Amino acid sequence: MIQLPDILNGDRRQLAKAVTLIESTTKEDRKKAKKLLASLPENPNAIRLGISGVPGVGKSTFVEGLGQHITKTLNKKVAVLTIDPTSPISGGSLLGDKTRMEVLAAEEKAFIRPSPTKEHLGGVSATTKELILLFEAAGYDYIIIETVGVGQSEFEARNMVDLFLWLTIPNTGDGLQAIKKGLLELIDIAVVNKTDLFSETDVNLKLQNLGSIFSSHSRKPIVSKINSLNIESFKELYNQIKTHYDKNKAAIKSQRQEQLQVWKKQLLEKEILASLNYTELLEKKISETKDQSISELFSYLQK
Amino acid sequence: MIQLPDILNGDRRQLAKAVTLIESTTKEDRKKAKKLLASLPENPNAIRLGISGVPGVGKSTFVEGLGQHITKTLNKKVAVLTIDPTSPISGGSLLGDKTRMEVLAAEEKAFIRPSPTKEHLGGVSATTKELILLFEAAGYDYIIIETVGVGQSEFEARNMVDLFLWLTIPNTGDGLQAIKKGLLELIDIAVVNKTDLFSETDVNLKLQNLGSIFSSHSRKPIVSKINSLNIESFKELYNQIKTHYDKNKAAIKSQRQEQLQVWKKQLLEKEILASLNYTELLEKKISETKDQSISELFSYLQK
């Protein structure tokens, strides 16, 4: 049995058990999970950061660097969660490999949670939102939501974080890709990564390029650069993120209110549909009518 | 009372009444509409065409020209329906103005249906699908679904037509816009319109441009051009469309099967949710919990 005081004290074993409980899909575990979630105090001071970028852009190394800055330099706690919708589909996972962040994983003040191995009732993002509450209650100051950078995961992540950070590298067409996928409107902070591997000219060209893409944006994103292998360089970037956060604090507060309302509605929808046995009913009717023509179906619907 | 034989004979007054009935949202009318729809024979030979493009690209003039080719030259019947999701929101409508197509509207073999004035239970596109059945049963050979070219309407249209036609003009960035909105994958036929207003060089540049955008596409779209003011020029374009249709007949047939399954599922979902009073239940619970914190909501969900 998970004890609330252990969670509030940040007991890692109990936290891991709570994560497993929240990710479980059995009816009994869901009941226990809801009870646990109902008991968690809120921690409104935690900062929720989304981090995205196409595969190969260096997300793991970046998160490891940022995470070390948070734990070692700032002496704060960080939880790294992932949204990886490829995981339940392909069996394999693009992210979620704990060993990717070996140094950070060994930190006492860091908790890295690989992506869930199977899809939760109501989607991966529903579970992730619950995990955010858990880690915030356990005293984690920063929650980093990492996405695979393909598909819908960025949109899901955007709806649960305060600031959304997008990683890129010079000499790539990922800016156009991001436009195509409608990602640009999500971004608060764009960071050109791996500056050690490219010339200053290439890095500056990318920064200019991003600057011009963002110039007309409502969200007024900031643009920065980093060499993620150099932990020292996270100091400046962190300060930029923090300044941006402080400047937009009022907007972020009302954004959280909106995110909360959306989430509450999703929880109620799921609950009502489950209580009405909607899925079973729909499946039954689909199978009953599967060979019907459309006019036969309209006839069936009159009954 | 609408008589089925009148519909099958293509009686325009009765057809107009049937359209009004299908668009009605009252419970009693929905019951009558379902009864009518259950009685309609299918007409699998009708061709369903979607037509899209940003405002200003000349959609109305194009549809009027194509419609006249269908009614006068081919001696066939055409129904023009619109999907205009802006209409219920703004009160005003981007499309749906019957007077836009004065010549075609006066044709005995054409029926132009302005977009519905208010949102139907389950969305504009649900009504439009039912109208397609109605006009096909009434002997219409071609159904043209026109969209406003903004927002989600293209995706809705794509799911109910056999071929999707996208209009553009030279010297514009609408190709990039279309990429941004994810429209490119929907297109079967791209047509450069208003060739009379641009130089041959500009027109050819646009054709080349489209050709290169489409070169890697799974749907293998065709690219063409037209001066919509010259009715004669629709002969060639029509033949290109027809050839493309004939060539893809097997794929279109299985696409229709898929569209039918999706539609049947949507109808069943709507029916079940209505029978369970889902919307009322959800609204009640949202209002009951609107001031609750997330932990209070989790507590509420345990009951």
Side-chain angles (χ1 to χ4, degrees):
Chain A
M1 191 62 198
I2 298 159
Q3 301 296 328
L4 186 61
D6 291 337
I7 297 292
L8 302 187
N9 286 334
D11 181 308
R12 291 180 71 95
R13 247 182 89 95
Q14 293 299 309
L15 261 175
K17 275 191 186 173
V19 169
T20 306
L21 179 67
I22 287 173
E23 288 180 351
S24 166
T25 57
T26 71
K27 253 189 172 169
E28 213 173 309
D29 280 348
R30 276 315 290 160
K31 223 172 152 179
K32 285 184 198 162
K34 276 185 230 162
K35 202 178 163 195
L36 173 65
L37 290 160
S39 72
L40 296 175
E42 287 183 53
N43 171 7
N45 295 322
I47 295 179
R48 302 168 184 172
L49 271 184
I51 291 179
S52 178
V54 298
V57 89
K59 286 189 294 295
S60 304
T61 315
F62 178 88
V63 170
E64 184 151 71
L66 182 60
Q68 286 182 76
H69 181 78
I70 290 169
T71 53
K72 288 181 179 164
T73 312
L74 303 177
N75 203 25
K76 298 279 188 185
K77 291 171 80 176
V78 62
V80 180
L81 313 173
T82 56
I83 298 187
D84 181 358
T86 58
S87 143
I89 297 156
S90 66
S93 170
L94 284 178
L95 289 176
D97 182 2
K98 208 168 182 172
T99 57
R100 286 177 314 135
M101 301 179 200
E102 283 179 345
V103 183
L104 188 60
E107 275 292 326
E108 180 60 32
K109 288 181 172 302
F111 200 111
I112 301 175
R113 176 64 203 168
S115 52
T117 45
K118 53 179 175 172
E119 195 166 355
H120 184 269
L121 265 166
V124 176
S125 73
T127 316
T128 309
K129 278 186 256 190
E130 296 174 3
L131 293 183
I132 292 176
L133 286 191
L134 174 71
F135 283 99
E136 288 180 349
Y140 283 73
D141 309 284
Y142 292 84
I143 313 289
I144 293 178
I145 309 293
E146 188 185 356
T147 76
V148 286
V150 293
Q152 278 296 107
S153 56
E154 287 93 345
F155 294 93
E156 296 191 10
R158 188 67 200 84
N159 288 327
M160 58 182 88
V161 299
D162 300 321
L163 291 176
F164 193 75
L165 199 147
W166 182 71
L167 281 187
T168 181
I169 49 174
N171 301 348
T172 57
D174 58 350
L176 185 63
Q177 289 277 351
I179 294 177
K180 279 193 195 180
K181 286 158 64 190
L183 295 188
L184 280 194
E185 275 296 342
L186 311 181
I187 299 171
D188 297 295
I189 300 150
V191 181
V192 180
N193 195 17
K194 302 191 182 179
T195 56
D196 53 318
L197 298 183
F198 298 89
S199 72
E200 217 184 306
T201 315
D202 286 345
V203 171
N204 287 335
L205 203 68
K206 188 77 186 190
L207 288 170
Q208 271 173 37
N209 196 305
L210 292 173
S212 70
I213 289 177
F214 287 149
S215 60
S216 62
H217 264 241
S218 54
R219 216 178 255 278
K220 302 258 172 262
I222 58 171
V223 174
S224 193
K225 59 177 179 174
I226 197 134
N227 165 13
S228 292
L229 294 174
N230 177 11
I231 305 301
E232 292 303 308
S233 63
F234 277 94
K235 192 180 166 187
E236 194 186 333
L237 180 67
Y238 173 81
N239 287 337
Q240 290 174 326
I241 297 174
K242 191 61 172 54
T243 305
H244 196 63
Y245 178 85
D246 290 337
K247 219 170 99 183
N248 292 286
K249 215 161 187 177
I252 287 169
K253 203 179 162 188
S254 73
Q255 177 181 270
R256 278 216 183 178
Q257 274 307 312
E258 283 166 37
Q259 291 172 344
L260 179 65
Q261 294 310 324
V262 171
W263 187 19
K264 282 171 64 182
K265 193 180 169 200
Q266 289 167 345
L267 285 168
L268 288 170
E269 285 171 342
K270 217 194 301 180
E271 196 72 12
I272 296 171
L273 292 178
S275 73
L276 297 173
N277 285 318
Y278 171 74
T279 311
E280 295 78 2
L281 214 58
L282 178 61
E283 271 167 18
K284 186 172 157 274
K285 297 225 169 192
I286 286 175
S287 114
E288 267 174 35
T289 60
K290 73 175 193 303
D291 297 323
Q292 289 184 0
S293 70
I294 191 73
S295 53
E296 284 166 347
L297 183 66
F298 276 114
S299 174
Y300 172 90
L301 292 179
Q302 287 175 81
K303 284 161 200 165
Chain B
M1 192 60 201
I2 298 160
Q3 302 296 330
L4 185 61
D6 291 337
I7 298 292
L8 302 186
N9 286 332
D11 181 310
R12 293 179 71 94
R13 247 182 88 97
Q14 292 299 309
L15 261 175
K17 276 191 186 173
V19 169
T20 307
L21 179 68
I22 287 172
E23 289 181 350
S24 167
T25 57
T26 71
K27 252 190 172 165
E28 214 173 308
D29 280 348
R30 275 316 289 162
K31 223 173 152 180
K32 285 185 199 164
K34 274 184 231 164
K35 203 178 162 195
L36 173 65
L37 290 160
S39 72
L40 296 177
E42 286 183 54
N43 171 7
N45 296 321
I47 294 178
R48 303 168 184 173
L49 270 183
I51 291 179
S52 178
V54 298
V57 89
K59 285 190 294 295
S60 304
T61 315
F62 178 87
V63 170
E64 184 151 73
L66 181 60
Q68 285 182 75
H69 181 77
I70 290 169
T71 54
K72 288 180 179 163
T73 310
L74 303 177
N75 203 28
K76 298 279 188 185
K77 291 171 81 175
V78 62
V80 180
L81 312 173
T82 56
I83 298 186
D84 180 357
T86 59
S87 144
I89 298 155
S90 65
S93 170
L94 285 178
L95 289 175
D97 182 2
K98 209 170 184 170
T99 58
R100 286 177 314 136
M101 301 179 200
E102 283 178 346
V103 182
L104 188 61
E107 275 292 327
E108 180 59 33
K109 287 181 173 303
F111 200 112
I112 300 175
R113 176 63 203 169
S115 53
T117 45
K118 53 178 175 172
E119 195 167 353
H120 185 270
L121 265 165
V124 177
S125 72
T127 317
T128 310
K129 279 186 254 190
E130 295 175 2
L131 293 182
I132 292 176
L133 285 191
L134 175 70
F135 282 100
E136 288 181 348
Y140 283 74
D141 309 283
Y142 292 84
I143 313 289
I144 292 178
I145 309 293
E146 189 186 355
T147 76
V148 288
V150 291
Q152 277 296 106
S153 56
E154 287 92 345
F155 294 92
E156 297 192 8
R158 188 66 201 85
N159 288 327
M160 57 181 89
V161 299
D162 300 320
L163 291 176
F164 194 74
L165 199 147
W166 182 70
L167 282 186
T168 181
I169 48 175
N171 301 347
T172 56
D174 58 351
L176 186 61
Q177 290 275 350
I179 294 177
K180 280 191 196 182
K181 286 157 64 189
L183 295 188
L184 281 193
E185 274 296 342
L186 311 181
I187 300 172
D188 297 295
I189 300 149
V191 182
V192 180
N193 195 18
K194 302 191 181 179
T195 55
D196 53 318
L197 298 183
F198 297 89
S199 72
E200 219 183 304
T201 315
D202 286 345
V203 171
N204 287 336
L205 204 67
K206 188 78 185 190
L207 289 170
Q208 270 173 37
N209 196 305
L210 292 172
S212 71
I213 289 178
F214 286 148
S215 60
S216 63
H217 264 243
S218 52
R219 216 177 253 281
K220 302 262 173 255
I222 58 171
V223 173
S224 193
K225 60 177 179 173
I226 197 131
N227 164 12
S228 293
L229 294 174
N230 177 12
I231 305 301
E232 292 303 308
S233 63
F234 277 94
K235 194 181 166 185
E236 194 186 333
L237 180 67
Y238 173 81
N239 288 337
Q240 291 175 325
I241 297 173
K242 191 62 172 52
T243 305
H244 196 63
Y245 178 85
D246 290 337
K247 219 170 99 183
N248 292 286
K249 216 159 184 176
I252 288 169
K253 206 180 160 187
S254 73
Q255 177 181 270
R256 276 216 185 179
Q257 275 306 313
E258 283 167 37
Q259 291 172 343
L260 180 64
Q261 295 309 325
V262 172
W263 187 18
K264 282 171 66 181
K265 190 178 170 202
Q266 288 167 344
L267 285 168
L268 288 170
E269 284 170 342
K270 217 193 303 181
E271 197 74 12
I272 296 171
L273 292 177
S275 73
L276 298 173
N277 285 317
Y278 171 73
T279 311
E280 293 78 3
L281 214 59
L282 179 61
E283 274 168 18
K284 186 172 157 274
K285 297 226 170 191
I286 286 175
S287 116
E288 268 174 34
T289 59
K290 72 176 194 302
D291 298 323
Q292 290 185 359
S293 70
I294 192 72
S295 54
E296 284 167 345
L297 183 66
F298 276 114
S299 174
Y300 173 90
L301 292 179
Q302 289 175 81
K303 285 162 199 163

